[in-house]
Amino acid sequence: MTGLLQVHPTVVLDEAFAGDEKVKGKAVAAFADFQRFHKNPLEVLSDDILLAWCDADPPVRYPIIAASAGLFKRPANNEPHEWLPLVSKLLARAPDPDALLKEIVRRLRPRSWSGSLATKLEGRLKLLERLPIEQAPGLVDALGKAKADLQERIATERNHEAADSRARSGRFED
């Protein structure tokens, strides 16, 4: 896939994301699966190529790239995640920044983790707090709601984790 994208990026993107919503969803899921292994083939494409592809059908393609391309990464092990430059470019150019924000927030939910999910989500909240929305100031309220929702999710998860810990501790005292 990486080799094909390097040689024929537009053709590969057109074919990968052609079809109805179900087919597009499967393509997005395939790219998400690559990301679980830290190997997203879209990384070989420059932001300019991705944005040019999006500009051919903005309402459809901007959310697809937000769902499929890498948006954040760790600069080094044990360091917090950082937004990639593509995120601010997508937010600045997308015809529907609210839809893009929803996709970005969806992507913050870890698909797998070890240890405390609440702790993992706290790290993602810190990342969300640094979302570069300068180019899309209309997102301030929606971003505030997304942060509040994530804080609520963290609190719920902390409560579940505490209850699980108490239940496990109680089993050993019997």
Side-chain angles (χ1 to χ4, degrees), residues 1 4-6 8-17 31 53:
M1 179 66 85
L4 288 171
L5 280 165
Q6 288 174 322
H8 301 289
T10 304
V11 173
V12 173
L13 290 170
D14 287 346
E15 288 302 314
F17 298 109
F31 280 96
W53 183 80

Side-chain angles (χ1 to χ4, degrees), residues 89-103:
K89 295 172 187 176
L90 290 169
L91 286 167
R93 294 172 62 160
D96 185 355
D98 286 312
L100 205 67
L101 177 63
K102 286 178 186 172
E103 188 57 45

Side-chain angles (χ1 to χ4, degrees), residues 41-74:
L42 295 177
E43 290 175 357
V44 302
L45 300 180
S46 70
D47 292 354
D48 290 337
I49 290 172
L50 291 171
L51 294 168
W53 183 80
C54 289
D55 288 339
D57 189 0
V60 172
R61 293 182 174 185
Y62 274 89
I64 286 173
I65 291 302
S68 304
L71 301 179
F72 53 89
K73 70 175 185 175
R74 290 185 188 276

Side-chain angles (χ1 to χ4, degrees), residues 140-155:
V140 171
D141 291 340
L143 180 59
K145 178 167 180 356
K147 289 177 192 176
D149 290 348
L150 188 52
Q151 287 169 333
E152 186 177 316
R153 172 76 181 159
I154 291 166

Side-chain angles (χ1 to χ4, degrees), residues 57-117:
D57 189 0
V60 172
R61 293 182 174 185
Y62 274 89
I64 286 173
I65 291 302
S68 304
L71 301 179
F72 53 89
K73 70 175 185 175
R74 290 185 188 276
N77 284 341
N78 299 322
E79 288 190 25
H81 286 97
E82 292 181 357
W83 293 109
L84 295 173
L86 177 63
V87 173
S88 59
K89 295 172 187 176
L90 290 169
L91 286 167
R93 294 172 62 160
D96 185 355
D98 286 312
L100 205 67
L101 177 63
K102 286 178 186 172
E103 188 57 45
I104 290 168
V105 169
R106 186 193 66 76
R107 295 275 307 277
L108 291 175
R109 169 102 174 133
R111 292 176 53 145
S112 65
W113 66 91
S114 61
S116 167
L117 176 57

